[in-house]
Amino acid sequence: MSKKTTIYDIAKALNITAATVSRALNNNPRISDDTKRMVLETAAELNYKPNRLAMALKSGKSKNVGVVLPYINRTFFSNVIHGIEEELNPMGYNVIICQTHEDEKKEADVIQNLLNAQVDGILISVSRETKNTDHFNQILKKNIPLIFYDRKINVKGASSVTLDDYQGAYEATKHLIDQGCKKIAHFTVDRSLEIYENRIQGYKQALKDGGIKFNMNHVVTIESDIEAGKEATKKLMELANPPDAIFSASDPCALGAIQHLKSINVRIPEDFCVVGFSNDPFTQFMELTISSVDQSPLLMGRTAAKVFLEQINEDDIKIEKQVVLTPSLKIRKSSMKLDSDL
């Protein structure tokens, strides 16, 4: 193995002290611009890599940020990460990504690992199972910024960046009512998560405001996948009083609904309208494009990162900041019954 270059190697090559090299690398104003330039050029020539652990011990900052999420292979979460990195990488921060697989114990374990790695902050979307807040309080006790994004849990001292899920669901349901739909079903996923509870409440309020009676038989709790959407739609269409529209809290479920409706020759949107939630990329690239509420994952990621940067630069990082993003309904073919202008 080749020997790792140190500041002593740079100092020897330039015939200056290691202290001068260290100051130059850290942009100390006491060092001249010419010396800084020579040090940086020599460091590059010798392939010098700074010891991040040593720097962290000296400065108290590791320049690492933990990002915790249920699954990395979800389009929404991968876009959130993209947004976070867009803000943090130019500021010299590295992002450490950890998956919980919807497991509270694993969530607590990865947070402990991140704390052991001396991260400067933790941005997290909680798992479905999460009820205990001890591991979150542990973060705050260490005076480390904690920012929830998308899915959050109430923890005093933590900040959050979320979407107005209630308003998004309200607008989606109102749009279906405006299209002339009278019997609107709703696919929800897991109401123990605040985001899904807010979506069903927005749905119910829109029905009320539209003069439509809420029908519990038209609300189905399912997993967020295509097959679950197919099966749930099949059961709904077998009811004595089947719906004429579906507002789904999940785009994959909406796609499953459309696939089943097509298989039984139901015309969309002439006879049946469908709206999803998340605005996954596939919704706009299908032959029958799907209306969906945009969750703005890139903006959510960038905003969560900005909240972290604000807090890490404050003397007291326990400043709670609650940011709520405005949803946007993307109206497409699957629900455009009264408007043929695409």
Side-chain angles (χ1 to χ4, degrees), residues 113-133:
N113 291 336
L114 290 171
L115 292 177
N116 291 342
Q118 299 182 317
V119 293
D120 295 336
I122 294 178
L123 284 60
I124 181 169
S125 187
V126 299
S127 79
R128 286 192 199 177
E129 293 185 1
T130 301
K131 300 293 184 293
N132 196 327
T133 61

Side-chain angles (χ1 to χ4, degrees), residues 80-119:
V80 170
I81 292 169
H82 187 181
I84 291 170
E85 290 185 327
E86 279 187 349
E87 291 295 326
L88 296 187
N89 288 166
M91 304 303 293
Y93 285 94
N94 292 315
V95 172
I96 301 173
I97 301 167
C98 301
Q99 300 182 81
T100 64
H101 300 282
E102 303 286 15
D103 185 316
E104 183 180 41
K105 182 181 184 305
K106 185 166 180 61
E107 181 179 273
D109 289 343
V110 299
I111 283 178
Q112 186 58 59
N113 291 336
L114 290 171
L115 292 177
N116 291 342
Q118 299 182 317
V119 293

